[in-house]
Amino acid sequence: MKQFNIAIVGCGNISRMHFDAYLPHPERIRVVAVCDTDAERMNNICKKYEVAQGFTSLEEMIAKAEWEIGVVCTPTNVRRQVVDTLASAGKHVFVEKPFADSYADAQHMVNTCAQAHVSLAVNQNFRYHYPFDVARGLVTDGEIGRVVNVIHQDLMFRQDVGWRTQLKRHAMAVMGVHWFDGFRHLLDDEAVSLVSETRSSPAIQCVGETEANTFVNFKKGALVSYIESFSSPVSKTETFVLGETGAIILNYAGTSLYKLDDRSRPQKQWENPYRGSHKPEATFTGLDLFLTALEQGKESENSGRDNLKTVALLDSAYRSAEERRAVVFNEGVPA
């Protein structure tokens, strides 16, 4: 097993999850450098996590430190510029989600990395932190027959601070990007059409939306209904995957399998090993998947090219809400 040297770009709050994910795995990952335009923030991270080299310039970090992969934890509005710089320097890229603010920006970054012959992957950690991957296996094994309906609700009271509150895209950009990707992963399928409505509650101080209702039709016939709320006094996140012969119920705690011929109790249940304080391990799983693909010379299943279809769903949900119309897809890409 090869050990990879990585550098983290951006020392904000999300970077701490990456350190918590990587430090328990020194045999696989070695964080050798960080950079942030805020020198105090960068120095605090270096001290807290004992990183030898810290920089306030990405170009300086590229020139003066030895590393192979850049982990991008910057705000989305500067991500395109950062990925362009990393690709031109021949660095592989593992980027936080949402991958980009728009489908056009995401496509640009995928093209840039392809032209530079570097690999690009996205930290869609909710494939594991939320048990989508377990449910995918059950669906693939035919445990509930053909999926006909997925009902997902994500209710919470969430007041963000900082740069996120100033963006026009809020609740779905923060959480919907996880769920849209999870639906794709769970169903192993792509969208045919989508319609969405958004609202903003005065209970939350932000520029963008706090509420969203979205319906997505998938190619193999599943209908997904997704409700997001950042203003709910009650917190509840749950997913019902309804098939022709049974159902799968997911939440952060785990997964339950039900059959139509015995509806009184779950046939099987699985605890989620990535729940709660174990969340950082889901980020390590995503990066390790990327590293393994690099070693094998193939494209990772969480590649930027794959994630274009997740960004397409997110971007199209906002476009549907703004234009008050359905968006149609061709092979997961807006037609």
Side-chain angles (χ1 to χ4, degrees):
M1 179 183 292
K2 178 181 175 181
Q3 182 192 60
F4 286 83
N5 288 343
I6 71 170
I8 293 180
V9 186
C11 295
N13 287 336
I14 196 64
S15 71
R16 299 172 189 271
M17 184 180 71
H18 286 266
F19 278 104
D20 291 341
Y22 306 150
L23 291 180
H25 299 279
E27 77 290 346
R28 189 62 162 156
I29 299 165
R30 188 166 161 259
V31 181
V32 300
V34 298
C35 76
D36 196 290
T37 54
D38 185 318
E40 181 179 4
R41 188 160 55 202
M42 177 270 293
N43 285 325
N44 287 339
I45 285 290
C46 285
K47 183 180 297 184
K48 179 178 177 65
Y49 295 105
E50 299 180 348
V51 182
Q53 295 177 283
F55 303 89
T56 55
S57 159
L58 176 55
E59 290 77 8
E60 186 181 11
M61 184 169 73
I62 290 170
K64 295 183 178 180
E66 296 292 330
W67 47 280
E68 301 157 89
I69 298 165
V71 175
V72 181
C73 298
T74 65
T76 51
N77 61 343
V78 298
R79 198 163 285 165
R80 175 171 167 165
Q81 177 185 346
V82 168
V83 171
D84 283 356
T85 301
L86 291 170
S88 66
K91 305 294 186 183
H92 300 299
V93 183
F94 188 62
V95 65
E96 260 301 329
K97 72 281 156 201
F99 177 25
D101 283 330
S102 69
Y103 183 80
D105 276 354
Q107 182 70 72
H108 169 88
M109 287 186 274
V110 168
N111 292 344
T112 296
C113 289
Q115 291 162 8
H117 303 290
V118 298
S119 295
L120 170 68
V122 181
N123 180 32
Q124 289 291 172
N125 58 322
F126 270 56
R127 292 184 180 186
Y128 311 100
H129 173 54
Y130 196 79
F132 281 121
D133 199 53
V134 174
R136 174 190 171 103
L138 295 172
V139 170
T140 301
D141 291 343
E143 290 284 359
I144 61 170
R146 185 177 67 91
V147 177
V148 294
N149 203 354
V150 178
I151 304 163
H152 177 81
Q153 57 181 354
D154 185 37
L155 313 178
M156 69 186 82
F157 188 87
R158 175 165 173 159
Q159 176 60 69
D160 283 297
V161 296
W163 62 272
R164 285 190 184 277
T165 63
Q166 302 307 309
L167 300 181
K168 288 179 65 177
R169 296 182 172 188
H170 189 52
M172 284 196 296
V174 173
M175 291 305 302
V177 69
H178 296 299
W179 308 131
F180 287 132
D181 186 77
F183 304 146
R184 290 184 56 238
H185 187 68
L186 160 68
L187 297 169
D188 190 21
D189 199 10
E190 302 302 344
V192 174
S193 64
L194 171 154
V195 63
S196 186
E197 289 278 358
T198 60
R199 299 290 186 272
S200 186
S201 168
I204 304 299
Q205 297 179 9
C206 66
V207 172
E209 88 289 348
T210 64
E211 323 298 312
N213 285 25
T214 304
F215 291 91
V216 189
N217 290 303
F218 278 82
K219 189 175 182 180
K220 296 175 186 176
L223 172 64
V224 174
S225 57
Y226 155 48
I227 298 173
E228 184 69 59
S229 177
F230 273 19
S231 68
S232 171
V234 177
S235 293
K236 187 171 185 178
T237 302
E238 198 163 32
T239 312
F240 295 84
V241 184
L242 308 181
E244 292 178 332
T245 63
I248 305 166
I249 300 178
L250 297 73
N251 54 42
Y252 285 110
T255 309
S256 299
L257 172 65
Y258 288 82
K259 296 287 189 174
L260 288 180
D261 56 9
D262 182 5
R263 301 188 300 275
S264 63
R265 57 185 174 80
Q267 281 210 349
K268 294 182 181 179
Q269 291 182 295
W270 298 264
E271 289 189 1
N272 178 16
Y274 297 101
R275 67 189 183 280
S277 62
H278 299 287
K279 180 180 180 180
E281 191 67 15
T283 290
F284 168 74
T285 297
L287 179 57
D288 189 52
L289 194 71
F290 181 41
L291 300 182
T292 300
L294 287 174
E295 290 174 309
Q296 296 174 349
K298 65 181 186 180
E299 184 174 289
S300 176
E301 67 180 59
N302 57 351
S303 69
R305 188 176 66 85
D306 171 79
N307 206 249
L308 278 174
K309 294 178 180 180
T310 294
V311 175
L313 282 172
L314 179 64
D315 200 39
S316 296
Y318 280 112
R319 188 148 53 95
S320 172
E322 290 165 4
E323 299 175 6
R324 306 297 296 274
R325 68 176 182 85
V327 175
V328 176
F329 297 85
N330 180 17
E331 297 300 323
V333 177

